[in-house]
Amino acid sequence: MPYSDIFKDHLANPRNAGELPDANAIAEETNPVCGDRLRLSLRIKDERIEAGRFLAYGCAPTLACGSALAEMLEGSTVEEARALTRQEVIDAIGGLSSRKQHAAALAIEALRKALDEVADR
Amino acid sequence: MDHSATTPIDSRVVDAMMPYLTQRFGNASSIHQFGQEARAAVDKARRQIASLISARANEIVFTSGGTEANNLAIRGVCEAAQAHGRHIITSAIEHPSVRGVLEYLEKNGWTITRLPVYDGGVVRIEDVRAAIRDDTVLISVMMANNEIGTIQPVKEIGALVRATRESGQKHLSFHTDAVQASGRIPIDVEHVRCDLLSLSAHKMYAPKGTGALFIRRGVRLFPQQIGGHQERERRAGTESVPNIVAFGKAAELAREEMDQRQEQTERLRDRFEEKVQSRIDDIVFNGDRRRRLSNVSNISFRFIEGEGLLIHLDMQGVAVSTGSACSSGTLEPSPVIKALGRDEELARGAIRFSFGKDNTDEDVDVAVEAVARAVESLRSISPLARESLST
């Protein structure tokens, strides 16, 4: 399937790209098969994600999923973030072919890892 | 900027083929006048194509394209020669249509030697010599690579094959895939001394769906399409007359305008590379720059992946390729770039820019700006780029 307009827009104009200097939750996930990487940094206060940034390397879906996820997270509660699914990330970028859905899985794994880091403290 | 994938159809080629899409619709195998008109047109095209590569007209067999020409050459010769041996020599950077056929034969008991191409992307003649065994029946090495444009030592291989044959190994043949080279550099089959040579129409400003295989007189080959007498029993099936007429005209124009096209694309390519190099850091050129087609530039951009760059450029109206055009959409980094010994990151960040006769200086300048913007944007979100700054 061709990439959607919203997908391409995430790629051309990534939302919330970069790293937060005052993040209190940082996590990075790597896809061991293809080497794609996604790094999330979140600033969480009173169970709410005040700010979220992403960095990504890899195929286009990985970059688009990173951008979409970082945008979705800002302003959400930790509970809402924990409930986010792979499909919701896929829907946010206008769909992905089954061969490319691992990119959304990588995004959700990075998110869970970041949230676990906060919970462990 | 993706003329190695395909080219626009030249208006003079359209004019030449148009009557065969309308009034002159005869089947070239029919005896009546409509058929004979079509036959004459096909024969003329055969002479035009033969002339492009200095072959005889009856050594040209029309196919559905470069892939079929490669299949017919390799499978056809191997089936005919298998009683004498089942060993084939090839390079590590062949087009998928050669690579795939050889993998198929390998699964069926053939032994394949794949020669390295080192960091320049060029096969060494001493490696070819060392790889020849008593049971080698075919050497298939492309004339110019489809991703990096490097020109292979086909003339030296041709001379080596000829000498090997004269010393008693009569069943050794030499095939070269000239799909990317044809129409872009002069080809003379007497000079190259190849036994088989593959061509494709749509790489030289003619429509898709037609190719040709040069089969030197005397070479034994089993047809792969059976069930008709066309093409002197070497390729059954009604000839695509309009496409063949177009291919012939395109070959004639390529021969006439070869020098001019080469100079034009080389000038554009060099302008592009110079500007990219001055605007963007951390890039690596792929393939020996002194020994490649004039229209191809292959560059790896560190810290980013080719697909994102391709989509960025597409959104800015600039069409390019990552890896082989046929393999876009797969996760595998380009086997050609990996064969140069490049690391995974460079193989994933490789982009092919390929220029055509109708590109302009302005096209180049627009492309350079687009590439600079896209690379900057992608690097701004790349963890690899950040890490390189902090080290």
Side-chain angles (χ1 to χ4, degrees), chain A residues 88-107:
Chain A
E88 285 172 282
V89 177
I90 292 169
D91 291 343
I93 55 169
L96 270 184
S97 71
S98 55
R99 278 185 324 121
K100 301 273 190 181
Q101 295 193 358
H102 62 272
L106 185 73

Side-chain angles (χ1 to χ4, degrees), chain A residues 66-89:
Chain A
S67 170
L69 178 67
E71 188 177 40
M72 289 159 88
L73 289 177
E74 275 202 351
S76 70
T77 65
V78 169
E79 200 186 336
E80 284 164 348
R82 209 174 270 288
L84 261 182
T85 65
R86 197 168 81 165
Q87 192 56 47
E88 285 172 282
V89 177

Side-chain angles (χ1 to χ4, degrees), chain B residues 91-100 103 114-122 142 145-148 150 286-287 298 300 322-344 346-352:
Chain B
S91 82
I93 57 167
E94 295 297 312
H95 185 268
S97 61
V98 167
R99 201 163 65 221
E103 282 165 6
R114 296 176 179 84
L115 302 174
V117 293
Y118 307 95
D119 60 348
V122 180
M142 66 198 340
N145 180 263
N146 49 301
E147 290 187 40
I148 54 178
T150 48
N286 295 312
N298 191 303
S300 288
T322 67
S324 185
C326 309
S327 71
S328 289
T330 68
L331 286 168
E332 284 301 307
S334 155
V336 173
I337 307 299
K338 288 196 86 174
L340 305 177
R342 302 276 189 257
D343 61 32
E344 193 88 359
L346 286 176
R348 294 181 71 175
I351 292 276
R352 178 187 70 190

Side-chain angles (χ1 to χ4, degrees), chain A residues 16 18-26 40-45 47-54 69-76 111 114-115:
Chain A
N16 301 356
E19 261 181 312
L20 286 173
D22 54 352
N24 54 1
I26 298 175
L40 273 182
S41 58
L42 308 174
R43 189 173 68 239
I44 301 173
K45 199 176 169 192
E47 289 297 301
R48 187 170 289 277
I49 300 173
E50 285 186 343
R53 296 282 181 276
F54 85 101
L69 178 67
E71 188 177 40
M72 289 159 88
L73 289 177
E74 275 202 351
S76 70
L111 171 63
L115 296 176

